[in-house]
Amino acid sequence: MQKKFVGHFLGSFAAGLFFSGVVTAASNLYTIEDIQRLGLQANGLLQAARTQVEIAKSEVVSAAAFPNPEVSFMAGPDSPRLPEIDTGPASMQRQVTVSQPLENPLLRNARIDGAEAGVEASRASLDQARADLTARLRVTVYEYLLRKGQAEIESDIYDLMEAIRRRISLSVEVGEVARFELIRADTEVMTAANRKQATLLDVERSRIALLQLTAGTLPPTFDVVARLGDPVDLPSLEELRAELPVSNPDIVRLEAEQARANLRIDQEKAAVLPSVNILYSNYQDRQFTSNTAGLSVKIPLFYRRRGEIDAAVFDAARLRETLDYRRYEIVRLLESAWQSMEIARRRVEMFEGGIVREAEAALRVAETAFRLGERGFMEVLDTQRVLRNTRSELLQAQFELQAAAAEIDRLRAHYPQDQYIE
């Protein structure tokens, strides 16, 4: 099949957009891992998730801080109440009081452990954001390759229709066929041209989506070193099921939040215990100086934090139920993605096993018969439509295979771990 893509459409705007990434591909080639690395470094939502981890670390520092002492100072003149009593000249009296809270170790440990569990939850949320972004980038790359493949198919069809139209035009000029055949050929050429331009614009739309996900760090003329037919190598379904509970970031996050909720129950229960402050006071007046020390004890006699404890208990139960459901749901999502991958793999094998080759052979036979005058234009048109549908379905099956594999990797948070060092 002839391929005259450059000669026919280089001057059109859509083709110019498409070739802007192909002509300079030699100096702007990126693998999928390169694009994922750029996305992980530049995507703003991921930067926000990283900041959340730092905020959680700061909360650990706050939880581990010791309470500050309180110092109160009072001073004033000392003069007699009764004028008839002469006590000498007026003087000043001063009093300094220092209060240092003694923290309950059970309360303190529960608070610190809860803050550290919050750090783990934030890290799991960051891992989830990384997995989501890398999977989305991978799917978008393969969508870009899918659109390029579809543009190539429509380019081949356009070239074929243009060649047939020229032959029919010559036949009309010499009177071999009716002008109606030329009108029909012109219609098919215009239809093929419109489809070709639409696929070229789809290529550009996929390119823009990649630029958006990488925050513009990709050059406008980038191209991708990958194929829709790249092999998919994954562990067995049984291994993935066993790996998922410890690798899925959503499960890890919920486990950390449940641990934090349980520690909050311990913290609220520990807060019921009496709290103690150490007191020291120094008093001075004209005649005396006194130093006193003692304890101030806050006794929870009337209110024993029943509301706070119940709220913590119910929150822990909510997280436990959510965790159980998400464990079940994520395993089902894994199985669904696995089945989608196997269905797409079988479709790819079916089309690559002979259907596409047979459709190409049928088109070659129809073209030869048309040139020899043994077949009409409609036979060629029918065979090229069969080939176009077959090639398009093969591309779609290859894309669905890669998208299902990307979803499985997203669920198990599988991406190059050296792309970001925390």
Side-chain angles (χ1 to χ4, degrees):
M1 184 179 295
Q2 295 179 342
K3 296 184 178 180
K4 300 178 181 179
F5 180 75
V6 177
H8 286 290
F9 258 72
L10 184 60
S12 68
F13 173 71
L17 293 174
F18 176 69
F19 276 97
S20 65
V22 177
V23 173
T24 59
S27 58
N28 292 287
L29 294 176
Y30 291 85
T31 64
I32 293 179
E33 290 75 16
D34 293 335
I35 294 175
Q36 288 175 332
R37 183 178 301 110
L38 291 175
L40 290 176
Q41 292 174 350
N43 188 274
L45 295 178
L46 197 61
Q47 297 288 351
R50 291 171 183 161
T51 304
Q52 194 64 40
V53 175
E54 300 303 321
I55 293 174
K57 290 180 179 178
S58 302
E59 291 176 354
V60 175
V61 176
S62 300
F66 288 98
N68 292 318
E70 293 184 10
V71 179
S72 60
F73 174 79
M74 294 183 294
D78 184 6
S79 58
R81 281 190 312 118
L82 300 177
E84 61 272 11
I85 301 177
D86 185 10
T87 58
S91 64
M92 293 290 293
Q93 63 176 5
R94 297 177 299 276
Q95 182 174 356
V96 179
T97 303
V98 180
S99 174
Q100 174 62 55
L102 291 182
E103 205 169 23
N104 183 344
L106 298 177
L107 177 64
R108 175 181 173 80
N109 292 337
R111 186 178 67 245
I112 295 174
D113 293 342
E116 291 175 348
V119 174
E120 296 302 319
S122 298
R123 284 175 175 162
S125 297
L126 173 59
D127 289 339
Q128 183 68 68
R130 291 176 184 167
D132 291 343
L133 177 61
T134 51
R136 188 176 176 187
L137 282 168
R138 181 177 171 183
V139 171
T140 307
V141 167
Y142 282 114
E143 182 183 359
Y144 169 71
L145 296 175
L146 171 66
R147 302 308 179 192
K148 287 183 67 175
Q150 291 172 339
E152 182 180 353
I153 292 174
E154 298 301 336
S155 175
D156 291 341
I157 293 173
Y158 174 81
D159 292 342
L160 175 61
M161 292 295 101
E162 184 66 27
I164 292 176
R165 182 203 169 280
R166 288 195 299 268
R167 182 173 181 82
I168 293 176
S169 178
L170 292 175
S171 299
V172 170
E173 291 177 1
V174 299
E176 294 180 357
V177 297
R179 181 166 295 275
F180 172 72
E181 294 292 331
L182 181 59
I183 295 174
R184 186 160 55 183
D186 287 337
T187 302
E188 292 297 330
V189 169
M190 288 188 292
T191 301
N194 289 333
R195 287 199 303 263
K196 181 180 178 181
Q197 288 189 356
T199 55
L200 292 175
L201 293 175
D202 283 339
V203 173
E204 186 62 17
R205 180 180 58 82
S206 300
R207 180 189 296 274
I208 292 173
L210 284 173
L211 292 173
Q212 177 184 356
L213 290 174
T214 56
T217 53
L218 280 172
T221 56
F222 76 92
D223 206 356
V224 180
V225 184
R227 298 182 304 108
L228 273 176
D230 287 341
V232 173
D233 186 18
L234 289 173
S236 66
L237 182 58
E238 290 72 20
E239 292 175 342
L240 290 173
R241 282 199 192 102
E243 174 188 350
L244 209 59
V246 296
S247 63
N248 182 267
D250 201 24
I251 293 178
V252 175
R253 176 185 62 81
L254 287 171
E255 288 175 343
E257 290 185 355
Q258 185 186 26
R260 181 169 59 178
N262 291 333
L263 289 167
R264 183 188 166 198
I265 297 175
D266 297 338
Q267 180 179 343
E268 295 296 341
K269 289 181 178 180
V272 177
L273 299 176
S275 58
V276 180
N277 290 351
I278 297 179
L279 302 176
Y280 168 76
S281 179
N282 174 263
Y283 174 80
Q284 293 183 5
D285 61 13
R286 182 171 57 182
Q287 293 182 328
F288 302 100
T289 297
S290 66
N291 294 286
T292 57
L295 297 175
S296 171
V297 180
K298 182 179 179 180
I299 302 175
L301 183 60
F302 299 107
Y303 182 63
R304 300 181 61 81
R305 302 186 66 83
R306 188 70 262 167
E308 289 83 353
I309 294 174
D310 288 344
V313 170
F314 288 123
D315 187 47
R318 176 187 63 84
L319 288 170
R320 181 175 61 253
E321 293 165 358
T322 304
L323 175 60
D324 292 340
Y325 175 75
R326 285 297 290 164
R327 282 173 176 162
Y328 171 81
E329 183 183 34
I330 289 173
V331 172
R332 300 289 83 78
L333 290 174
L334 170 66
E335 293 174 348
S336 176
W338 183 271
Q339 294 301 324
S340 298
M341 185 182 68
E342 292 300 313
I343 292 172
R345 195 193 303 274
R346 293 190 188 98
R347 292 182 61 204
V348 170
E349 293 172 354
M350 178 181 65
F351 285 110
E352 292 180 343
I355 295 180
V356 175
R357 288 195 299 269
E358 291 176 0
E360 291 174 345
L363 181 59
R364 286 194 297 268
V365 171
E367 286 184 77
T368 303
F370 175 76
R371 287 195 298 268
L372 297 176
E374 298 176 358
R375 291 288 187 272
F377 173 59
M378 293 304 298
E379 285 79 1
V380 178
L381 190 61
D382 290 340
T383 53
Q384 70 87 12
R385 284 173 177 168
V386 171
L387 177 59
R388 181 185 66 197
N389 293 337
T390 303
R391 291 176 65 186
S392 297
E393 290 183 11
L394 172 60
L395 292 177
Q396 188 65 35
Q398 289 174 332
F399 171 74
E400 291 174 0
L401 175 62
Q402 299 294 345
E407 173 65 10
I408 292 174
D409 282 343
R410 184 190 73 84
L411 290 173
R412 65 186 186 127
H414 181 75
Y415 56 89
Q417 298 295 324
D418 59 348
Q419 292 176 350
Y420 174 71
I421 301 175
E422 189 174 319

